Amino acid sequence: MDPKASRRHDDPHINVMMAGSTLRKIKSRSWKKPRHFRLLEDGLTIWYKSRWAGKGHSTFKAKDIEAVREGHQSEVLLSIAEEFPADLCFTLVFHGRQGNLDLVADSPEEAQAWIQGVRKLIHKAQTMDEKERLDQWVWEWFKKADKNKDGKMNFKEVTKLLKMMNVEMNEEHILHLFKMADKSESGSLEMKQFVQFYKMLTQRDEVWKVFQDYSGDGEKLMLEELESFLRIEQSEGEKGPQHAKELIDRYEPSDTAINQAAMTLDGFQMYLCSPEGSIFKPNYLELHQDMTQPLSHYFISSSHNTYLLEDQLRGPSSLEAYIKALKRGCRCVELDCWDGSDGEPIVYHGHTLTTKILFKDIITTLKEYAFKVSDFPVILSVENHCSVEQQTVMAQHLRQILGDMLLTCVLNGQIPEQLPSPQDLKGRILLKAKKIGDVEGCMDETLTEFSDEEEMTNGDSDSPTKENPSADKKPEKLSRELSDLVVYCKSVHFHGFEHARTHAKCYEISSFSESKAKRLIKEAGTDFVQQNKCQLSRIYPSGFRTDSSNYNPQEMWNVGCQIVALNFQTAGLEMDLNDGLFKQNGCCGYILKPKFMIDPNIHFSPEKPEVQQGYKPWRLSIQVISGQQLPKVNQKEGSIVDPLVRVEVYGVPKDQAKDETTHINNNGFNPVWNETLNFVIHTPELALVRFVVEDYDKASRNDFIGQFTLPFKCIQTGYRHIHLLSKDGTAIPPSSLFVNINISEFT
């Protein structure tokens, strides 16, 4: 049994979970079935099955749960609210794209035991240090391999385990390590002995070599030796000797070494695997940028068709999609609004088979979740197809539900000469839509074009669905009530850069399809950069992307477009780039653009970065040293990955580059490459670097194993670990890459 699990028995909530409960699993108003749930002895795994399922059962890990919601806090539980009181209901929300689990207990006490118990397990998973995570990971593998459940593993079970763990190793070497760990010579390993075996198995020669380079006696790093390593290799000399002492106190497991102000190999490896040893500069993860500049000076994390969970022809629309986007730091969400049959506006992808949700339910959800991750403003991008009557209903819902959150008038009563800042608009929700007249009070009632993506009416017809102007009859007028709620994001048609220079107002915003944006970038990239210094631009995917695929957002960021809307529900390279850019600055959804994209006196061309004043290219040198515990792609027991690492650079056209290592045959456990990849970065302020690990296949396309993407400016040099993410962007510990990074001026 997990040694930590026994300590959890003191907790009454955990006791209830371990004893087990029959809970109703709810999928819809008509699908409500009892399932027996219990927390297994390891204190990590929740098991459940139907009474009629025979031996069949399901399990999930506590660490895979992101949050527990109490009461009717999901669409499914809201639909059965009359049948089951709120105090019996709760929802388990999982990381990534896994669907929620809606449950109903028999009593409020039982519901609370599970709610509080699961929250404690989540907290435990979130606060584990690297050693505890590794211990847990080893324990899980031990359980998987111990087929006869006797708490021991014989040599045959151990060899099977190694195949499961993604490693092919010489059997004589395994037997040698097995015998060394089997101190009692019983022919099997108990848990403690298995931990010892695992330590020998995972001895990392590449870390040991670095340690030896700085250790005088080969046993430990004295304080001054650790200082030398931090100064010479990690470029952290400016942090001073106190920094080395803090690292020893934080990561060294041996009290004896701590008392000597020294770090052993174990402590050194724990430091290298920690957030401080990560490739991402820790201080750049925090909110650190100036948030007092106009909104147009920031890239804004933005979602397209936010209501969809899947594709845009048949997929379900869901409130959960808004919650997931907001939790990822999204600050601009989209609502496609249509007339509902009962007078209540609905949201769905018009003229398709996507399901419909009520506008007012979305607004209620936004009120609840808009500011849980970030305090900075949320923009509601409204694609409006409603009659004047239902537009007025929309306006009433916005006012009544959001109250003071909704921005309904200019700040300080001043006519704006520039947009307010994210700081000025903290906790506020802004409406982006058409407006009668302008903020200054012009009251021209006439309105011809109405669709938000209105350049479609100008012959840029790259959409078979909602953006097609002939697809539905346009309303002729706006509701005054809805129009009055538009303040700083008035949707207008784009009449060209020359017209914008002479007529545009700071609070006007134009939307562009990806194809139109690409054409403008090609024809007049510098003009696009200049316009985006004082006005917002929104880019959205082509309507032909019926599978909800995404375009590469980098091209749009290169000309300073702020609201580059992506299908958040679709995993892949494009969302990796979005997540990578917005991971910095506290994941607040706003990233300050580089100076050359906000200073009106600087004329930047992404095509010609070398003509930029102060142009200084950098050389990025990445030694890909090794990989650790890469996940399996094919779950067959005998299948082992052949990993390779590819590094991709995204940025201005001159910076687009990729290079990769060779592949390692049959080793996802501890592959070693020791290969160096070199790049030249011409515009470091815009560059993103993506590390991808793939399973090489000479006969077909390589399979994805893991990735990590970050801005070039956020890279820490020296010996660093890259903690890999899944296709969904969620962590897959303990999978990582070990690299040595050098950045120098390119001459």
Side-chain angles (χ1 to χ4, degrees), residues 657-728:
K658 57 182 69 173
D659 197 4
E660 64 187 41
T661 66
T662 53
H663 67 275
I664 305 287
N665 285 324
N666 288 334
N667 191 348
F669 188 68
N670 56 358
V672 175
W673 290 277
N674 274 325
E675 294 180 39
T676 300
L677 310 177
N678 289 298
F679 303 89
V680 177
I681 312 290
H682 298 272
T683 309
E685 297 88 346
L686 291 173
L688 291 166
V689 182
R690 182 173 185 251
F691 296 83
V692 192
V693 186
E694 290 182 346
D695 180 13
Y696 173 76
D697 192 326
K698 66 181 177 188
S700 62
R701 194 172 169 185
N702 293 348
D703 285 319
F704 173 90
I705 292 176
Q707 68 83 30
F708 189 81
T709 307
L710 77 166
F712 173 78
K713 300 287 276 184
C714 295
I715 291 176
Q716 291 204 98
T717 56
Y719 288 97
R720 303 292 173 188
H721 277 91
I722 298 167
H723 299 280
L724 295 173
L725 303 175
S726 70
K727 194 165 268 185
D728 281 344

Side-chain angles (χ1 to χ4, degrees), residues 59-92:
T59 61
F60 55 88
K61 299 290 180 190
K63 68 172 185 284
D64 295 332
I65 307 170
E66 182 184 314
V68 188
R69 295 190 204 138
E70 293 187 54
H72 302 137
Q73 286 202 62
S74 76
E75 287 157 285
V76 170
L77 291 179
L78 276 169
S79 72
I80 55 144
E82 290 179 10
E83 189 177 351
F84 297 106
D87 60 4
L88 300 181
C89 301
F90 61 99
T91 302
L92 302 185

